[in-house]
Amino acid sequence: MIHNHLSIDKQHKRAIYHELGHWLLGRKVGFDVGSILIGQSDFGVYGSSEIKPFPKTKLDSVNDIYNHLFNRVCVLIAGVIADIIWHEKYEPEIEKENETKYFYENGVMDKTAITDKGKITELLFIMNGIVNDPSQDEETLENQMNEIQKEAWEYSLEFLRDNKDLGFMGGELIKQFEESQTKRFTKENLIQLQEKPRAS
């Protein structure tokens, strides 16, 4: 789902930033990363960042499981935050008109037409069951899950807010899209960009 006021061209650029947010945080937490793909289907513009959230070691404890799921949620949230940062930079009027909740609920879809919100909610149910006693009260359950999500949001926001890789790489990927309509950015290309020397 993409904001109706954006042209198809801008929808693609927004999706590039969104997927780059996933990719950067995925790499930070140690997940294997691959390419970024931007496409268009009957549902609209979609994005896909190849993140493989496989554990590198056996998850021996409940705490290990929770931490692994927490990292996965942070990676999902990073796309939403990168989306907001793109709007702040390129479409500030849209960003000012909408609260954070809007971008969370109307984010870039993957190619199956699922947004990050749905994936995050599924994981929060499991994570909440690890750290809190079960509750049948919907308000209590919602508050518990919101606390977990808030912690993950703050972690991802701290990483991305002034992230120089997001700004530089996002600009370079958008430039590649503008110049040659590139919609697939390989892992090699992304790592080369991230490691490219640049002026401080």
Side-chain angles (χ1 to χ4, degrees):
M1 193 178 301
I2 301 286
H3 198 290
N4 291 334
H5 295 170
L6 294 177
S7 67
I8 294 296
D9 183 70
K10 289 182 177 179
Q11 289 177 34
H12 281 92
K13 294 174 182 178
R14 172 194 180 186
I16 288 170
Y17 241 75
H18 179 105
E19 297 306 328
L20 182 58
H22 290 316
W23 191 91
L24 287 170
L25 194 46
R27 197 166 189 220
K28 174 180 169 55
V29 300
F31 292 160
D32 288 337
V33 295
S35 60
I36 288 175
L37 174 68
I38 308 300
Q40 191 171 351
S41 69
D42 293 338
F43 299 106
V45 173
Y46 66 84
S48 174
S49 183
E50 189 178 1
I51 308 289
K52 299 176 181 177
F54 308 137
K56 298 295 177 64
T57 59
K58 184 180 178 182
L59 303 177
D60 287 319
S61 68
V62 172
N63 190 55
D64 289 341
I65 296 170
Y66 182 88
N67 289 336
H68 187 76
L69 294 176
F70 181 83
N71 285 340
R72 177 58 178 149
V73 168
C74 287
V75 169
L76 292 168
I77 285 174
V80 182
I81 292 174
D83 190 356
I84 293 171
I85 292 172
W86 180 87
H87 278 84
E88 289 175 350
K89 187 171 183 177
Y90 297 103
E91 295 290 332
E93 292 305 314
I94 293 177
E95 191 275 328
K96 289 176 184 175
E97 290 173 2
N98 297 282
E99 298 178 350
T100 298
K101 183 180 179 182
Y102 172 85
F103 295 100
Y104 179 64
E105 294 183 346
N106 297 276
V108 175
M109 303 176 299
D110 65 15
K111 56 187 175 182
T112 64
I114 298 175
T115 63
D116 295 320
K117 179 186 176 183
K119 301 172 189 176
I120 291 168
T121 301
E122 289 293 318
L123 295 176
L124 288 177
F125 278 118
I126 301 169
M127 294 169 70
N128 190 61
I130 293 174
V131 295
N132 292 307
D133 292 329
S135 174
Q136 300 303 313
D137 180 72
E138 290 188 10
E139 183 177 353
T140 299
L141 182 61
E142 182 178 359
N143 289 337
Q144 290 172 340
M145 292 170 62
N146 283 342
E147 283 301 308
I148 297 171
Q149 183 175 315
K150 180 182 177 183
E151 183 182 358
W153 184 278
E154 290 174 350
Y155 177 88
S156 301
L157 180 62
E158 183 178 358
F159 174 68
L160 286 177
R161 170 52 65 190
D162 297 310
N163 190 291
K164 293 181 179 179
D165 287 337
L166 179 64
F168 172 74
M169 294 174 66
E172 290 295 308
L173 297 182
I174 287 174
K175 187 185 300 182
Q176 290 179 28
F177 171 76
E178 290 174 334
E179 292 176 351
S180 59
Q181 291 296 295
T182 302
K183 295 180 182 179
R184 183 177 184 273
F185 308 95
T186 65
K187 175 181 178 179
E188 292 73 23
N189 180 19
L190 293 165
I191 291 177
Q192 185 179 40
L193 278 177
Q194 189 176 27
E195 296 178 349
K196 183 177 180 179
R198 63 196 84 154
S200 56

